């Protein structure tokens, strides 16, 4: 049985888009490949598994060995782990993987990967996004990034925009393939308790158009534009902005005189699904290609609900939500246009239903675990066949 090593920034119980993709890959190839995962450690817990940032540990997740390297600090959002170099070298030398899947961006990990990787090991680079926020960091590692791309045998992007919109990958299209992320329907299953909670939410907002948004409260998520859009809406609308982050207090202050908006904070998966069921419109106001795909967007679409998004050059968001097919798309940062799109959907229940049904079908066709598993196994077997 061939061996695969995944290198990720973090891993479950740490939650995030890239962490979920790494876990999806691990579960998709389980039984077909022997595998290990190496990552940084970060404080997190799911109630059963607990991680602490400074500790270097090895544990088992989904039956797979996960090596977590303790971190002492972060620089420009980059974790620094004194143990990572030796642990990576040891794993490469003793585990001897046939294939390494490296989740980019992570320049600290990339430096040591290039240093220790055997020349005969196949390298698959899963390119999640360019380094855009830390521009100086991107410039500093420009040459290293080119070396990494040149060393890679295959480069994956979750959507065509990941490839076409990248300042690097657009020059290496012969190496690139599109491998869409997947949505796990098991995590999104509706229980009777969830259905009861969704009914309660609907009753609490009876006669209103319920609009729901969720995400970290950080600049690129664009929540401020949703708050601005609310100023153009009448009182039949209710906007729920779930999540938390550095901008939470600022967003609440911005919305303090608008009774249409509420902030429930961080919510459980069960509460999230209840809102997905109860909502009329899913608002996804991200504004930059730091939002590389939009897993929450695809999740919302599984519940047959229409979405409103901004046009984001270089992002996969507009690949997930197809304009005038699964939802509406408006010019970036145009709060008035965003409000007009919400009004359009509010005024047209048949259009909401049509977009919702189209969205659920798109998720089943492109973003299901079954399609993802077929795609990744075909890719790893070097047949290269990917359904898109």
């Amino acid at each position: 049985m061939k061996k695969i090593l995944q290198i990720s920034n973090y891993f479950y119980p740490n939650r995030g888009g890239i962490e979920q993709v790494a876990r999806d890959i691990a579960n998709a190839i389980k039984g077909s490949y022997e595998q290990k995962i190496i990552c940084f450690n970060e404080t997190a817990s799911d109630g059963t598994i607990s991680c602490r940032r400074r500790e270097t540990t090895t544990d088992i997740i989904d039956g797979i060995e996960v090596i977590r390297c303790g971190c002492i600090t972060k620089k420009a959002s980059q974790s620094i782990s004194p143990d990572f170099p030796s642990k990576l070298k040891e794993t490469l030398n003793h585990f001897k993987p046939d294939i390494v899947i490296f989740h980019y961006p992570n320049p600290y990990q990339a430096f040591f990967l290039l240093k220790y990787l055997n020349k005969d090991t196949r390298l698959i680079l899963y390119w999640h996004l360019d380094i855009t926020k830390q521009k100086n960091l991107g410039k500093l590692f420009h040459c290293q990034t080119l070396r990494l791309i040149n060393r890679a045998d295959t480069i994956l992007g979750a959507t065509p925009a990941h490839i076409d919109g990248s300042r690097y990958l657009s020059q290496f299209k012969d190496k690139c393939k599109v491998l869409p992320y997947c949505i796990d329907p098991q995590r999104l299953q509706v229980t009777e308790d969830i259905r009861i909670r969704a009914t309660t939410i609907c009753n609490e907002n009876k006669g209103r158009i319920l609009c729901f948004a969720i995400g970290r409260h950080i600049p690129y998520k664009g929540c401020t534009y949703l708050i601005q859009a609310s100023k153009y809406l009448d009182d039949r609308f209710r906007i729920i902005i779930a999540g938390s982050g550095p901008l939470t207090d600022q967003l609440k202050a911005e919305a303090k005189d608008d009774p249409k908006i509420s902030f429930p904070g961080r919510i459980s998966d069960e509460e999230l699904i209840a809102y997905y069921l109860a909502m009329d419109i899913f608002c996804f106001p991200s504004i930059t290609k730091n939002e590389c795909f939009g897993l929450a967007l695809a999740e919302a679409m599984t519940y047959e609900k229409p979405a409103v998004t901004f046009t984001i050059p270089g992002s996969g968001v507009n690949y997930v939500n197809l304009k005038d097919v699964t939802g509406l798309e408006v010019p970036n940062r145009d709060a008035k246009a965003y409000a007009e799109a919400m009004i359009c959907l509010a005024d047209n229940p048949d259009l909401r239903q049509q977009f919702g049904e189209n969205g659920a079908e798109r998720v089943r066709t492109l973003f299901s675990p079954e399609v993802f598993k077929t795609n990744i196994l075909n890719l790893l077997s070097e047949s290269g066949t990917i359904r898109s």
Side-chain angles (χ1 to χ4, degrees), residues 114-316:
L114 288 168
K115 183 176 181 179
Y116 297 131
L117 187 64
N118 187 297
K119 63 182 178 61
D120 296 323
T121 303
R122 184 179 170 201
L123 176 60
I124 296 175
L125 188 60
Y126 211 141
W127 192 279
H128 298 284
L129 70 159
D130 289 13
I131 297 175
T132 54
K133 184 179 177 182
Q134 292 86 16
K135 288 183 168 52
N136 290 333
L137 190 68
K139 291 176 182 176
L140 177 64
F141 289 101
H142 172 71
C143 292
Q144 176 181 287
T145 301
L146 289 176
R147 285 178 58 213
L148 186 67
I149 290 172
N150 280 305
R151 173 60 181 83
D153 297 280
T154 305
I155 304 170
L156 306 176
T159 72
H162 284 73
I163 298 166
D164 297 336
S166 167
R167 60 175 292 211
Y168 290 104
L169 300 194
S170 57
Q171 305 170 53
F172 295 88
K173 289 188 177 182
D174 57 320
K175 288 189 173 189
C176 297
K177 295 180 183 295
V178 174
L179 178 65
Y181 300 154
C182 76
I183 302 303
D184 181 7
Q186 294 298 317
R187 193 180 77 81
L188 302 176
Q189 283 188 340
V190 179
T191 66
E192 186 58 28
D193 286 345
I194 290 174
R195 204 175 297 279
I196 291 171
R197 175 58 183 147
T199 300
T200 300
I201 294 170
C202 288
N203 290 337
E204 290 171 349
N205 296 277
K206 194 171 183 178
R208 310 292 184 182
I209 297 296
L210 185 60
C211 306
F212 180 65
I214 185 168
R216 289 190 65 212
H217 296 168
I218 51 180
Y220 78 77
K221 290 292 186 179
C223 291
T224 183
Y225 296 98
L226 179 55
I227 293 170
Q228 291 173 32
S230 179
K231 299 183 190 330
Y232 299 98
L233 302 176
D234 56 54
D235 287 341
R236 63 183 162 153
F237 287 87
R238 289 294 179 268
I239 300 173
I240 311 293
I241 304 177
S244 62
L247 297 183
T248 297
D249 290 343
Q250 180 179 321
L251 293 172
K252 286 182 176 180
E254 188 177 353
K256 67 180 176 64
D257 296 324
D258 191 336
K260 298 189 296 298
I261 302 175
S262 60
F263 297 85
R266 296 184 67 179
I267 59 177
S268 67
D269 284 350
E270 291 75 16
E271 187 80 350
L272 171 63
I273 296 167
Y275 274 112
Y276 281 156
L277 287 173
M279 69 184 176
D280 297 294
I281 301 168
F282 185 64
C283 295
F284 199 76
S286 294
I287 54 174
T288 77
K289 65 179 183 179
N290 290 76
E291 188 68 79
C292 59
F293 186 83
L295 286 171
L297 172 60
E299 285 182 353
M301 289 164 58
T302 67
Y303 294 96
E304 300 189 352
K305 300 302 170 72
V308 181
T309 56
F310 285 122
T311 302
I312 312 173
S315 168

